[in-house]
Every structure is written in structure tokens, then in C-alpha cells.
Amino acid sequence: MHCPFCRHADTRVSDSRAAEDGATIRRRRVCSSCDRKFTTVEQVVLHVVKRSGVLEPFSREKVIKGVSKACQGRPVTPDQLAALGQEVEETLRASGSAEIPAEQVGVAILKPLAQLDKNFESVEDFAREIDDLKIAAGAQELPIGNEPKPPSQKKHEQAAQEPLIG
Ligand SMILES: [Zn+2]
């Protein structure tokens, strides 16, 4: 790795240690030319497994772009989107797998998204919007949005308001 200060091509590792979560390794490096020290982080490259079986590198930007589309016209800031992207990536990394099914990416998006904008009535609404936009790094559809819905609590309220006839 090049030295980030003087661009010298030869640097050596002086120390390596795993991060607390075990998902990354930090290395202290020393430039053999200018003697300055810097730190690098080594982590697994995540891949998304599309339905077709094709592997695609996980892209946080792609997730953010998709969610940003789904949230168009809603009070969601770029900072919030960036935090969501990070949370999604952390969730996926915490799974410990290097190859993540596209559906799992979609599911990982739903929770932070629901916290981001409470104007949506339910997580199912998010799922539907995401599904429509075919985001989540290539997911074709989300299982959570396609599950047959159990009779919801909301319906109870509506039923109670209906005038009793007969
Ligand atoms: Zn240097």
C-alpha cells in the first residue's frame, strides 16, 4: 500500500488488531521512506446474491439512492439517509456472511426506514414502496410485503365505527 503522505510504495505493518465486533482488522503501518504512521482497516467485501444467482458487490450508495426515492416528498434529510445506509450495512455485516441474499438486504432496510419516517402507517407500507421501486440492491420483491396479511388491528376500529344495521 502506498504511503498517504509521500506516496512511497513501500510501507510495513507495525501492528494488527481485530475490532471489538471481530468484523474488521485495523493495521498500523509505517512508511519506510518518511517514517510517518497511518492506520488501515481491512474488512470483508460484501456481495448481494440476486434472485438470478448473480453476485453483485454490496453498495451502500445504492441502498441510500433507493430509499431516497421511496422517501421522496417526505421530511427525510441526507444525514438521516446516510445513517440509514450505515445501519443497513452494519446489520448485514453482523450476520457474519459475505454473501447476502437480496431479500435480506431489503428486510435490513425496513426497520431503520420505519424509524426514519413515522408518517408511513406501517412497515408494510415501506415494503410496498420499496418493492415498487425494486431497490435493495437488486431485490425483485420483498417477502415481507407479499405475505398474506393477518386480520389487522386497524380493521377492528373501522368495524366498530360502522353503524349497526338490522
Ligand atoms: Zn511516506
Side-chain angles (χ1 to χ4, degrees):
M1 174 170 280
H2 285 94
C3 169
F5 304 107
C6 73
R7 308 302 298 164
H8 188 69
D10 184 29
T11 56
R12 61 187 169 80
V13 175
S14 65
D15 184 39
S16 293
R17 61 185 61 182
E20 275 170 36
D21 62 0
T24 58
I25 290 184
R26 289 176 173 274
R27 297 191 198 284
R28 265 321 252 171
R29 287 176 178 270
V30 188
C31 175
S32 51
S33 174
C34 70
D35 273 340
R36 292 180 79 172
K37 290 180 180 171
F38 59 100
T39 304
T40 57
V41 176
E42 183 180 297
Q43 63 182 9
V44 170
V45 174
L46 287 182
H47 279 89
V48 177
V49 187
K50 295 168 132 190
R51 272 170 187 257
S52 57
V54 173
L55 286 180
E56 175 179 286
F58 170 78
S59 160
R60 198 194 285 195
E61 285 69 35
K62 202 165 172 180
V63 168
I64 292 173
K65 214 178 266 179
V67 171
S68 148
K69 268 189 202 166
C71 290
Q72 229 162 33
R74 296 171 192 279
V76 175
T77 68
D79 279 357
Q80 287 175 317
L81 287 171
L84 180 144
Q86 185 176 342
E87 190 173 340
V88 169
E89 183 169 344
E90 279 169 6
T91 301
L92 298 178
R93 288 196 180 280
S95 75
S97 175
E99 295 181 357
I100 317 274
E103 305 85 67
Q104 198 181 327
V105 178
V107 171
I109 289 173
L110 292 180
K111 203 181 147 202
L113 191 56
Q115 289 167 346
L116 201 64
D117 187 341
K118 295 180 175 63
N119 292 332
F120 279 97
E121 281 186 13
S122 66
V123 167
E124 281 77 14
D125 286 340
F126 286 116
R128 214 169 300 120
E129 294 225 10
I130 290 172
D131 202 25
D132 287 348
L133 290 162
K134 293 197 183 350
I135 62 153
Q140 299 290 305
E141 55 190 41
L142 292 166
I144 193 166
N146 295 328
E147 281 169 13
K149 279 188 193 167
S152 77
Q153 304 265 327
K154 251 185 283 172
K155 295 268 155 54
H156 278 285
E157 244 174 58
Q158 282 172 359
Q161 285 166 1
E162 276 171 22
L164 293 169
I165 301 167

